[in-house]
Amino acid sequence: MSAARILVSVSPGEVRVALLRGDRLDEAWVERPARPDGVGDLQQARVTALAPAMAGAFLALAGGETGFLPESEAGPVRQPIGKSVSEGQVLVVRVTRASQGGKGARVSAKVAPEARASLALPPGHAPALLARGPEAALRLARAVPEAMLLTDGAAVAARLRGLLGAGRVGFSPKPVFEEALEAEFDLLAGPEVPLDGGGRLLVHPTPALVAIDVDAAAAAGVADPEAQRRVNEAAVLAAARQLRLRQLAGPILLDLAGMTAKRRAALAEPLARALAPDHLARLLGLGPLGLFEICGSGCTRRCTRCWRGR
């Protein structure tokens, strides 16, 4: 496997972090220190409602926010949510995915004993922020211990050297993001993603779901019957990668370009494989409208959290 690198680009009010494997962008984070997204935060939370049909529970978090605790993250063994927690119970949880598109944060009650022991729990049952989570650069450095880290922020370099060791953190007086990486981050900020060989993805997060449409462009009108298949093969790989890079969650619908339902179904296995590196994204199948249905909340089945009324 290609060597992993972490690049940290610092500008006023913003820090961009890229995990590269070789020259391929594997994870991308944009942080605004004045408005932290809360990922990694430890909170004292209170269970406000069990949602068995959603395979989880809703929690009150600090600041009036709402979190969702999947039953898979409620205890050491997955079991029906009512056997793991009860309404009114106070839990220590870690935020694993930021609130997004009007949906609350995703949380986990699987907090390491040493982390829990270091906390000073406030009295009472009120939700409270216990500890801020580590910045994205530190999270990635701990998750990928073989990766060297390079930053163009002197203060960031000094802080991370104190946490990771001087030998692992480098400082560059020049910007660490090259032109190609800048272009990838620019793409992540917009809805359009060009596909290898032609065509494009259109990624549209909404409050209800994430819609991804494949535009075959010129391939839609050519005589080659395999042209659309090639565009769609590229599209399923690109769609899975965009979900991971953009940290998109909740219900996700992927509409391929043209093709019969039978030919679309043949791309289910490549799509499932492409989604595998994202531990939260699961392919649920090809729906009656010919759209691939993906759950980005860690579910393993259709639950009403993602597919209300289906």
Side-chain angles (χ1 to χ4, degrees):
M1 181 176 289
S2 301
R5 297 176 293 145
I6 299 169
L7 301 180
V8 184
S9 172
V10 180
S11 57
E14 184 176 89
V15 178
R16 295 175 299 164
V17 185
L19 171 63
L20 298 174
R21 296 189 186 276
D23 293 326
R24 181 179 174 83
L25 180 62
D26 202 57
E27 287 195 39
W29 296 87
V30 178
E31 296 182 314
R32 294 170 178 86
R35 290 182 288 132
D37 61 11
V39 174
D41 286 358
L42 287 168
Q43 295 214 22
Q44 177 172 282
R46 186 178 68 254
V47 179
T48 56
L50 301 184
M54 300 182 182
F58 290 101
L59 279 62
L61 303 178
E65 299 292 325
T66 298
F68 183 77
L69 174 67
E71 63 185 22
S72 60
E73 295 295 324
V77 177
R78 180 165 186 162
Q79 57 186 352
I81 190 65
K83 293 186 176 181
S84 296
V85 300
S86 57
E87 289 189 16
Q89 183 177 352
V90 175
L91 302 171
V92 174
V93 299
R94 187 183 297 278
V95 177
T96 57
R97 179 160 281 183
S99 57
Q100 186 181 89
K103 296 182 175 65
R106 188 179 189 273
V107 303
S108 172
K110 296 179 180 178
V111 178
E114 57 271 21
R116 189 187 301 269
S118 67
L119 300 172
L121 299 180
H125 295 171
L129 174 64
L130 303 176
R132 282 288 180 200
E135 60 201 283
L138 190 55
R139 291 200 305 270
L140 289 179
R142 289 171 174 170
V144 190
E146 71 276 14
M148 298 296 292
L149 189 148
L150 181 66
T151 179
D152 50 24
V156 171
R159 183 174 66 253
L160 292 176
R161 282 171 177 163
L163 296 168
L164 300 171
R168 193 177 171 194
V169 179
F171 169 71
S172 170
K174 299 186 297 184
V176 295
F177 277 23
E178 296 181 353
E179 186 175 343
L181 188 54
E182 289 280 6
E184 283 215 68
F185 269 74
D186 287 344
L187 278 178
L188 293 175
E192 186 174 326
V193 182
L195 297 172
D196 293 340
R200 60 180 181 163
L201 284 183
L202 297 171
V203 184
H204 294 290
T206 76
L209 54 82
V210 177
I212 304 178
D213 180 56
V214 181
D215 177 9
V222 300
D224 181 1
E226 295 300 298
Q228 279 192 344
R229 178 185 61 80
R230 290 193 292 269
V231 169
N232 285 317
E233 285 178 343
V236 298
L237 299 179
R241 182 165 181 261
Q242 289 298 310
L243 294 181
R244 187 168 67 256
L245 291 177
R246 296 170 185 243
Q247 295 99 43
L248 295 172
I252 300 159
L253 296 177
L254 171 61
D255 185 15
L256 299 183
M259 300 177 67
T260 64
K262 182 177 180 180
R263 297 191 75 188
R264 287 187 176 210
L267 292 176
E269 185 177 347
L271 177 57
R273 286 199 306 269
L275 290 169
D278 186 338
H279 68 284
L280 291 180
R282 294 291 180 271
L283 176 62
L284 301 179
L286 190 63
L289 295 179
L291 308 178
F292 280 114
E293 300 180 355
I294 301 166
C295 177
S297 297
C299 308
T300 56
R301 63 180 188 273
R302 282 182 180 84
C303 68
T304 53
R305 173 168 167 79
C306 284
W307 307 103
R308 296 178 180 86
R310 297 183 69 99

